[in-house]
Amino acid sequence: MDAETIISVLQTRVIGREILCLDTVDSTNRYARELAEHGAAEGVVVLAEEQTRGRGRLDRTWHSPPGLGLWFSLILRPPIAPAAAPGLSLLTGLAVAKAIESQLHITADLKWPNDCLLYDKKTAGILIDLAAEAKSVRFIVVGIGINVRLLTDDFPPELRETATSLAVAAGHSVDRETILAAVLTEFETDYFRFLAEGLTPTIGPYTRRCGLIGCQVDILAGRKTIRGTAVRIDPSGALVLVANGQEHVLMAGEVTRVRKTGTI
Ligand code: BT5
């Protein structure tokens, strides 16, 4: 991938005006974090053809083979409180979903809080790294992994049932530069709206794509699993679950859908 080509077609003002394309790196989030510590500006994008230690949440591995995906990180310096940072995970997921929909005309499903699915299989994941003082954010690195050109055999056997790519879902080859430009463009609009108006404008479009709402789910939060019905995403981006007539408001966790219908 060539930074000059991408930048020349990008219409954004801040996000992606500087793109660093690496052949191989351990993790673009780790690399971007280091750049940010050394003063890199808001909007800088670090992109790699391959990650040798791509990370998911809780130090899980993100499979990032060479040349087949979009593995990249954005550096942000938002004037927000640290508590508002998780909202960026939802906002980013929504930007990825809208970019996929506009380019491929397939409806994307958002699995709270950080997955984007196509036909019930994971296509993209988001990892937010936060560097903050008590009341202010120093910087945030938003890591985005999108499986673009992987075919089934390009996934390790343990992911073949649960993961897919844009090319597999669309049934034709997909251009990485086009998807990247669409994601950065959607992200920029939503991000500046978030800075001006908070997360509220994100909630409606996110909820419409969130297949968990109305379903019976198990959510693993810390060491506890709660079974209940996912009823809504609240204005802070938390998932609200009703279990035994009681509401639980969850800021993070691992959700598994149990049934497509729920009871309150
Ligand atoms: C995520 O974590 O989904 C966040 C993934 C973020 C990856 C990007 S790539 C650029 C940037 N640099 C990084 O180092 N990371 C970010 P989580 O929700 O914890 O999901 C991780 C789980 O997804 C793994 O345990 C696997 O089960 C599964 N998985 C791993 N690689 C996958 C892939 N390529 N496609 C689909 N599922 C995958």
Side-chain angles (χ1 to χ4, degrees), residues 3-243:
E4 299 289 306
T5 317
I6 302 163
I7 290 170
S8 70
V9 297
L10 254 187
Q11 302 282 323
T12 54
R13 204 161 47 80
V14 176
I15 304 296
R17 292 325 305 170
E18 193 180 332
I19 300 182
L20 206 74
C21 289
L22 308 169
D23 277 339
T24 179
V25 71
D26 52 352
S27 152
T28 57
N29 263 39
R30 205 272 311 144
Y31 194 99
R33 200 180 170 105
E34 209 168 293
L35 288 185
E37 290 288 3
H38 288 91
E42 169 150 281
V44 169
V45 171
V46 177
L47 184 118
E49 290 287 345
E50 174 190 33
Q51 295 185 117
T52 53
R53 280 210 61 209
R55 285 191 299 117
R57 293 175 301 156
L58 307 171
D59 240 4
R60 290 186 284 233
T61 300
W62 182 258
H63 177 64
S64 325
L68 301 177
L70 283 167
W71 329 123
F72 65 106
S73 301
L74 315 174
I75 295 172
L76 303 175
R77 297 187 178 276
I80 58 170
L88 278 170
S89 188
L90 276 67
L91 182 147
T92 307
L94 180 61
V96 170
K98 289 193 290 187
I100 292 172
E101 290 170 358
S102 71
Q103 297 305 312
L104 302 182
H105 313 288
I106 306 174
T107 306
D109 181 17
L110 290 166
K111 179 164 172 258
W112 182 92
N114 72 323
D115 291 354
C116 183
L117 313 180
L118 293 174
Y119 304 119
D120 265 346
K121 293 187 173 191
K122 184 158 170 169
T123 314
I126 289 141
L127 177 70
I128 305 277
D129 277 331
L130 169 70
E133 313 295 351
K135 289 192 175 153
S136 62
V137 166
R138 282 201 297 124
F139 62 82
I140 291 176
V141 172
V142 177
I144 305 176
I146 308 176
N147 301 323
V148 181
R149 296 166 4 140
L150 291 88
L151 302 179
T152 308
D153 285 352
D154 298 315
F155 289 100
E158 68 274 16
L159 290 181
R160 283 180 197 159
E161 289 297 309
T162 55
T164 191
S165 70
L166 302 185
V168 169
H172 56 75
S173 66
V174 177
D175 177 55
R176 285 185 297 166
E177 283 87 348
T178 309
I179 299 296
L180 176 66
V183 170
L184 296 179
T185 305
E186 294 285 354
F187 180 88
E188 180 166 283
T189 309
D190 292 356
Y191 175 63
F192 285 113
R193 190 177 303 138
F194 167 72
L195 294 185
E197 300 171 38
L199 200 60
T200 307
T202 302
I203 301 298
Y206 188 95
T207 302
R208 275 199 293 284
R209 293 170 174 84
C210 182
L212 298 173
I213 303 300
C215 297
Q216 192 178 60
V217 298
D218 279 344
I219 172 156
L220 176 66
R223 288 185 181 173
K224 226 168 76 176
T225 300
I226 308 171
R227 175 164 295 188
T229 301
V231 290
R232 64 178 181 279
I233 311 284
D234 85 0
S236 71
L239 180 69
V240 181
L241 200 73
V242 174

